[in-house]
Amino acid sequence: MYRYVMLLSESVSEFGYICQNHNMVYMVGVNSNTNFKSNTIMAKLVYVYEGVERESTKSKRWKLVNTHYFSGLYERERNTDLWLEVADYIDASY
């Protein structure tokens, strides 16, 4: 997983975070005689959040604050489309 930190406001020390992850997904029902690599696809996930806070005062668990997720099957040529969606969301929100 990759994590990027962005400065949301220069007048106030506000930071946002962008995390990116990808997973191999096995496609069921595809020709089983082929090797594993040809039966898999790469699912991409990017999420943007403003910080973390405790779920409750007694909890040891944390939750993300103001999270927005982007996910899909983006082929090599479409990777730019994914990051343009993220950039458009950041521009519109902040």
Side-chain angles (χ1 to χ4, degrees):
M1 177 171 57
Y2 303 100
R3 179 175 294 165
Y4 308 96
V5 179
M6 62 182 172
L7 183 62
L8 298 178
S9 172
E10 292 187 22
S11 60
V12 181
S13 295
E14 290 185 74
F15 292 93
Y17 302 89
I18 303 173
C19 294
Q20 183 261 335
N21 198 357
H22 57 275
N23 292 314
M24 299 295 284
V25 179
Y26 185 72
M27 296 187 305
V28 178
V30 177
N31 186 357
S32 60
N33 295 330
T34 60
N35 63 14
F36 176 77
K37 189 170 186 172
S38 65
N39 284 348
T40 57
I41 53 177
M42 185 75 69
K44 304 216 173 142
L45 170 67
V46 174
Y47 51 102
V48 177
Y49 63 99
E50 293 180 358
V52 294
E53 64 185 14
R54 291 203 184 268
E55 286 186 345
S56 68
T57 55
K58 297 180 182 180
S59 178
K60 294 181 181 180
R61 295 179 55 136
W62 295 84
K63 65 179 181 178
L64 302 178
V65 177
N66 294 331
T67 310
H68 191 83
Y69 296 91
F70 303 87
S71 181
L73 304 175
Y74 294 90
E75 297 296 325
R76 290 183 185 120
E77 303 82 33
R78 294 192 54 228
N79 280 334
T80 305
D81 295 342
L82 170 63
W83 290 107
L84 287 174
E85 286 180 40
V86 173
D88 290 342
Y89 168 76
I90 292 170
D91 286 342
S93 300
Y94 304 103

